[in-house]
């Protein structure tokens, strides 16, 4: 098979299309012919430098994988052969104390396809059969399915599973143009909330309204914290969904109402945040965090897209051989929605 193999850290040149042996399925595993794969910010971060301790080179990135089951290992349902599937990238051991307790997102041996094991920027990928979720390409296109997994399920988990949004609440979902942001806006709207979002330039304002936001703040022209507080009559918002990290966390706290809550869910800007403690405890504000999403949430979110409650927001689709262009698009910051590569 051909795969985009990363052999060092640096620019796009550290990752080349390389001929590799086809993976072979062991017991309980499937080999999937990859047809589409979505890009994520982590692909670029890990190309430049190690982010996660267990990351190892050589590496194949690509977390949001869609394809057809080409081969099955011993003990796998033969009905999966030839099926179109989306892959849950999170692979767990099923045997550690956390897995046994049903908290697989804290699995002590957790690996993620495209992050800490080989992913979907390849013609084939090896995964446990339990990670293969049958999909219906007559409902959504393969590129649309490949736009769902990590970003949308992260948004769902953070807003529905952790923040437990209530109808009538006001929520800030920042970065409307990002995959997590565009999904989060829709999830919060469906929960009956008023949604405030941010964009990095005036050019992205219209698209953010089209995605469903009630208030769009252009960060390049306005202090978003002041604008969000003003939109609530100075009271502050009920919830801020922090999938950004870095300095954003303090801004999120400042935007909250008394006893409001921040949900921590990502660190695409930075893994290091400094906060003023009194801004949190004096006003009974809360920071919530709750690991990763569960396999059930992944299936639930795909179902939401299939029934039309959530709409894929795709910026652009590129060919598999043009991964460099796709990644440059993501790195430019000018995208709005998910960037996907397809082999069809
Ligand atoms: Zn485990």
């Amino acid at each position: 098979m051909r795969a985009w193999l990363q052999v060092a850290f640096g620019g796009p040149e550290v990752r080349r299309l390389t001929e590799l042996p086809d993976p072979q399925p062991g017991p309980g595993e499937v080999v999937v012919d990859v047809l589409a794969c979505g890009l994520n910010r982590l692909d670029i971060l890990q190309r430049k430098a190690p982010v996660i301790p267990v990351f190892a080179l050589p590496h194949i990135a690509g977390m949001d994988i869609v394809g057809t089951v080409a081969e099955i290992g011993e003990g796998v349902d033969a009905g999966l052969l030839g099926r179109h599937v989306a892959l849950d990238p999170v692979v767990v051991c099923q045997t550690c104390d956390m897995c046994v307790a049903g908290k697989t997102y804290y699995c002590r041996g957790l690996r993620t396809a495209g992050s800490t094991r080989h992913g979907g920027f390849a013609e084939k990928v090896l995964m446990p059969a339990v990670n293969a979720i049958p999909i219906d390409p007559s409902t959504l296109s393969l590129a649309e399915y490949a736009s769902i997994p990590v970003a949308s399920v992260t948004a769902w988990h953070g807003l529905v599973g952790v923040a437990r949004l209530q109808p009538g609440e006001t929520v800030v979902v920042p970065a409307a143009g990002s995959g997590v942001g565009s999904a989060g806006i829709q999830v919060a709207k469906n929960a009956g909330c008023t949604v405030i979002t941010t964009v990095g330039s005036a050019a992205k304002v219209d698209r953010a309204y089209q995605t469903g936001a009630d208030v769009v703040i252009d960060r390049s022209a306005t202090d978003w914290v002041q604008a969000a507080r003003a939109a609530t009559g100075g009271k502050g918002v009920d919830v801020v969904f922090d999938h950004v990290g870095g300095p954003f966390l303090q801004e999120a706290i400042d935007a909250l109402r008394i006893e409001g809550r921040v949900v921590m869910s990502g660190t695409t800007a930075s893994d290091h945040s400094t906060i003023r403690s009194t801004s949190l405890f004096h006003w009974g504000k809360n920071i919530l965090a709750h690991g990763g999403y569960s396999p059930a949430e992944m299936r639930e979110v795909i179902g939401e897209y299939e029934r039309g409650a959530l709409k894929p927001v795709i910026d652009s689709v590129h060919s598999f051989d043009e991964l460099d262009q796709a990644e440059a698009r993501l790195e430019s910051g000018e995208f709005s929605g998910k960037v996907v590569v397809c082999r069809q």
Side-chain angles (χ1 to χ4, degrees):
M1 69 166 183
R2 291 184 312 148
W4 284 99
L5 193 69
Q6 178 187 346
V7 296
F9 295 105
E13 71 282 354
V14 302
R15 180 202 52 211
R16 296 211 184 94
L17 260 181
T18 307
E19 191 66 39
L20 296 174
D22 287 354
Q24 302 298 322
E29 293 180 324
V30 294
V31 170
V32 169
D33 280 337
V34 179
L35 297 175
C37 190
L39 277 70
N40 289 280
R41 178 69 60 184
L42 186 64
D43 305 337
I44 297 172
L45 295 176
Q46 292 202 131
R47 190 199 71 215
K48 292 180 172 174
V51 176
I52 299 167
V54 292
F55 181 87
L57 294 174
H59 175 64
I60 302 170
M63 295 191 281
D64 298 339
I65 310 164
V66 169
T68 53
V69 177
E71 288 183 72
I72 58 171
E74 189 188 326
V76 176
D77 175 8
L80 265 182
L81 261 179
R83 290 289 303 268
H84 282 94
V85 293
L87 296 177
D88 181 347
V90 178
V91 178
V92 299
C93 75
Q94 308 280 9
T95 57
C96 73
D97 56 338
M98 287 293 110
C99 284
V100 169
K103 298 183 176 185
T104 54
Y105 34 86
Y106 297 133
C107 171
R108 297 180 194 280
L110 188 146
R111 292 288 184 276
T112 304
S115 170
T116 46
R117 60 181 275 153
H118 284 338
F121 297 144
E123 290 174 337
K124 293 175 186 289
V125 65
L126 178 71
M127 287 291 277
V130 293
N131 287 61
I133 303 168
I135 57 173
D136 176 9
S138 69
T139 306
L140 297 169
S141 72
L142 295 176
E144 287 174 329
Y145 274 113
S147 75
I148 298 173
V150 174
S152 296
V153 190
T154 296
W156 179 271
H157 173 68
L159 292 167
V160 176
V162 184
R164 302 190 181 281
L165 294 184
Q166 300 299 312
E169 288 192 311
T170 299
V171 185
V172 173
V173 179
S178 70
V180 179
S182 58
I185 289 168
Q186 298 181 66
V187 169
K189 281 307 292 179
N190 290 355
C193 296
T194 298
V195 181
I196 299 172
T197 192
T198 64
V199 292
S201 69
K204 292 187 176 184
V205 170
D206 286 350
R207 187 89 192 259
Y209 279 117
Q210 286 161 17
T211 305
D214 298 290
V215 178
V216 180
I217 302 167
D218 175 4
R219 285 186 293 107
S220 69
T222 311
D223 179 326
W224 81 262
V225 175
Q226 297 290 343
R229 294 194 70 89
T232 57
K235 192 175 67 140
V237 303
D238 297 290
V239 173
V240 179
F241 180 43
D242 180 5
H243 62 93
V244 180
F248 185 86
L249 180 59
Q250 181 63 61
E251 296 167 10
I253 293 167
D254 292 340
L256 287 180
R257 68 164 166 82
I258 292 170
E259 295 188 337
R261 53 209 196 273
V262 179
V263 186
M264 291 184 75
S265 192
T267 54
T268 48
S270 168
D271 194 27
H272 296 275
S273 300
T274 302
I275 62 166
R276 300 188 316 277
S277 301
T278 50
S279 69
L280 198 68
F281 71 77
H282 273 187
W283 306 104
K285 297 177 181 180
N286 296 280
I287 297 178
L288 308 177
H290 191 276
Y293 62 79
S294 69
E297 286 176 304
M298 171 103 182
R299 284 175 155 77
E300 200 172 352
V301 172
I302 288 177
E304 292 287 300
Y305 279 96
E306 288 179 331
R307 71 184 181 85
L310 296 172
K311 309 267 185 225
V313 181
I314 294 186
D315 174 82
S316 51
V317 180
H318 306 256
S319 85
F320 173 75
D321 288 6
E322 293 172 340
L323 180 61
D324 285 349
Q325 281 116 298
E327 216 181 69
R329 175 77 185 160
L330 190 61
E331 206 162 10
S332 74
E334 287 165 13
F335 63 92
S336 204
K338 292 296 289 183
V339 178
V340 178
V341 293
C342 276
R343 280 186 58 218
Q344 289 187 322

